[in-house]
Amino acid sequence: MAATQEIQFRDAAARIAAAEEAQAPQPAPPAAEELQDIPSEKMVLNMGPSHPSTHGVLRIVLELDGEIITQAVPDVGYLHRGDEKIAENMTYTQFIPYTDRLDYLAPLHNNVAYALAVEKLLGIDQQLPPRCQYIRVICCELARLSAHLLGLGAFAMDVGALTVFLFTFTEREKIYNLIEALTGARFTTSYTRIGGLCRDLPPGWVDQCGKFLNEVIVNFGESEKLLTRNRIFVDRTKDIGVIPRDVAIDYGLTGPNLRGSGVEYDLRKAHPYLCYADLQFDIPVGSVGDCYDRYLVRLEEMRQSVRILHQCLDRLPAGPDNRSGEPINVPNGKIVLPPKEKVLTNMEELIHQFILVTQGVNAPPGEIYFSVENPKGELGFYIHSKGGGTPHRLKIRAPSFVNLSILPWLLPHHMISDVVAILGSLDFVMGECDR
């Protein structure tokens, strides 16, 4: 058994004197004795693909000189599912559930974007009933709120602010309750249809949504108090990951990452779709283009989404309960499934339903591209049709994939700890990167 030794503690006066002596300025060494940087080998470090701060299966190969990054190569593809090739073997309607799995934090927005692209191919994009347009905008802005709330909470947690994540997730749970009441599902919604929607708003839903909007505004203020002037958060984000305006444009960035660099570009204003042209809202932009600016832009975008939602709920055609029977689908039996009662009593409707279910909508030959302002940026669908019910080619312009292309330019000369803050500020999701 080892012998026990007593630990001798010096008295307080002796420890104070020793500390003062250590802190006293020392004479500068001769110039010839100055330490020189010793060249050393660089180290290659894998960050991901299983890492809490990469927000999914993203792998970044980092070349390090000590703590400083000298080279960064993103490696994607670990979640690849071949959605674009799957679409070529399905009818246009059958592919709708696959859009839920792109940006799975905003499935409602993906549904709307894809439906609008197919409707442009069919030539019915200008025939959508007003009530359908307003409900789709409501879906898009709820999805934007949900995605930004999680993006903000995860970003804050990445740099050490766990409380904000709990605050934002509480509000997202309320959004999921609204989505479940509207679509029947919380996560994978598959709500839109080619030419309209699968169902109208349920009774009392508008009042529930209005109540949520009044509550979530309070949450924005609480989150801002915890972050905007927080010394640790500011030091971790201010002047970190700066993307100049011209570089952001050159790399094709879109969404809050582009607007954070001072570029006022939003598809809802630049190329209005649905009823956005009739709504009043502002486009927040940054000035420096750092992580802090991107945080502020997303925070203000959520406030603008609440502003849009209030307008949609107040102007909803036929009111909350649609007592006048305002249609939510295009009146075309060859595109939209006919009502069930007519299918059971009318041969023509029965034939239309059979063809739509088995062969899909008969799209004309041609090619189109349509894009919307997704929470992550510009989500676009390119469709090449040779006629019939399935696309010949379908290409998805995923904003997260394009936004990640700037990492080899952005990460060098930062420290490893800065990578966590930069990735959180870019707010990407790997589901649409790999598709």
Side-chain angles (χ1 to χ4, degrees), residues 194-353:
I194 310 303
L197 307 166
C198 71
R199 62 173 64 89
D200 204 342
L201 300 178
W205 192 89
V206 170
D207 293 335
Q208 296 173 19
C209 187
K211 179 183 176 183
F212 160 73
L213 296 179
N214 295 330
E215 294 173 353
V216 76
I217 281 290
V218 177
N219 178 273
F220 297 159
E222 293 173 343
S223 299
E224 190 172 21
K225 287 179 181 178
L226 290 171
L227 292 179
T228 303
R229 295 184 180 275
N230 184 299
R231 178 61 181 271
I232 298 175
F233 182 78
V234 172
D235 288 347
R236 290 292 305 273
T237 58
K238 202 169 183 59
D239 297 327
I240 300 297
V242 176
I243 306 176
R245 175 190 176 96
D246 56 338
V247 175
I249 295 173
D250 289 345
Y251 276 87
L253 301 190
T254 53
N257 296 322
L258 176 66
R259 293 188 284 274
S261 297
V263 181
E264 189 177 345
Y265 180 75
D266 189 311
L267 285 167
R268 295 172 295 175
K269 289 277 192 180
H271 305 285
Y273 51 94
L274 295 175
C275 61
Y276 277 112
D278 301 328
L279 303 174
Q280 300 295 322
F281 61 98
D282 299 322
I283 303 175
V285 295
S287 56
V288 179
D290 56 4
C291 295
Y292 190 70
D293 269 359
R294 292 190 281 275
Y295 150 74
L296 292 176
V297 165
R298 288 189 176 90
L299 188 64
E300 182 58 30
E301 277 193 10
M302 290 193 292
R303 290 193 170 97
Q304 295 301 318
S305 290
V306 171
R307 182 181 174 190
I308 292 172
L309 284 166
H310 275 302
Q311 295 177 65
C312 289
L313 295 179
D314 294 339
R315 303 179 187 179
L316 191 63
D321 299 327
N322 195 12
R323 294 181 180 178
S324 61
E326 181 77 15
I328 59 170
N329 290 306
V330 174
N332 190 331
K334 295 184 178 181
I335 295 176
V336 179
L337 285 173
K340 195 66 176 179
E341 59 272 13
K342 291 187 177 181
V343 173
L344 297 175
T345 58
N346 192 305
M347 178 58 71
E348 186 176 357
E349 269 73 12
L350 177 62
I351 294 172
H352 286 327
Q353 187 200 43

Side-chain angles (χ1 to χ4, degrees), residues 2-22:
T4 304
Q5 295 182 352
E6 291 187 1
I7 302 175
Q8 298 295 329
F9 292 98
R10 293 183 298 170
D11 63 296
R15 287 188 285 113
I16 292 173
E20 291 177 349
E21 183 180 354

Side-chain angles (χ1 to χ4, degrees), residues 29 31 84 111 117 163 166 176 221 242 263 308 327 356 390 396 410 413:
E84 294 166 339
N111 294 165
T163 306
L166 301 177
Y176 277 146
V242 176
V263 181
I308 292 172
L356 285 174
T390 60
I396 303 171
L410 183 60
H413 309 299

Side-chain angles (χ1 to χ4, degrees), residues 134-146:
Y134 273 86
I135 294 177
R136 283 188 175 185
V137 169
I138 291 173
C139 291
C140 290
E141 296 309 315
L142 279 177
R144 194 182 316 280
L145 278 177
S146 177

Side-chain angles (χ1 to χ4, degrees), residues 87 90-97 99 102 109-120 192 194 370 372 379 381 383 391 394:
M90 288 186 160
T91 66
Y92 290 101
T93 300
Q94 287 173 340
F95 187 66
I96 291 176
T99 62
L102 296 173
H109 211 301
N110 304 336
N111 294 165
V112 172
Y114 172 70
L116 287 170
V118 179
E119 287 157 4
K120 182 177 179 180
T192 59
I194 310 303
F370 189 84
V372 302
L379 172 64
F381 288 89
I383 303 176
L394 186 141

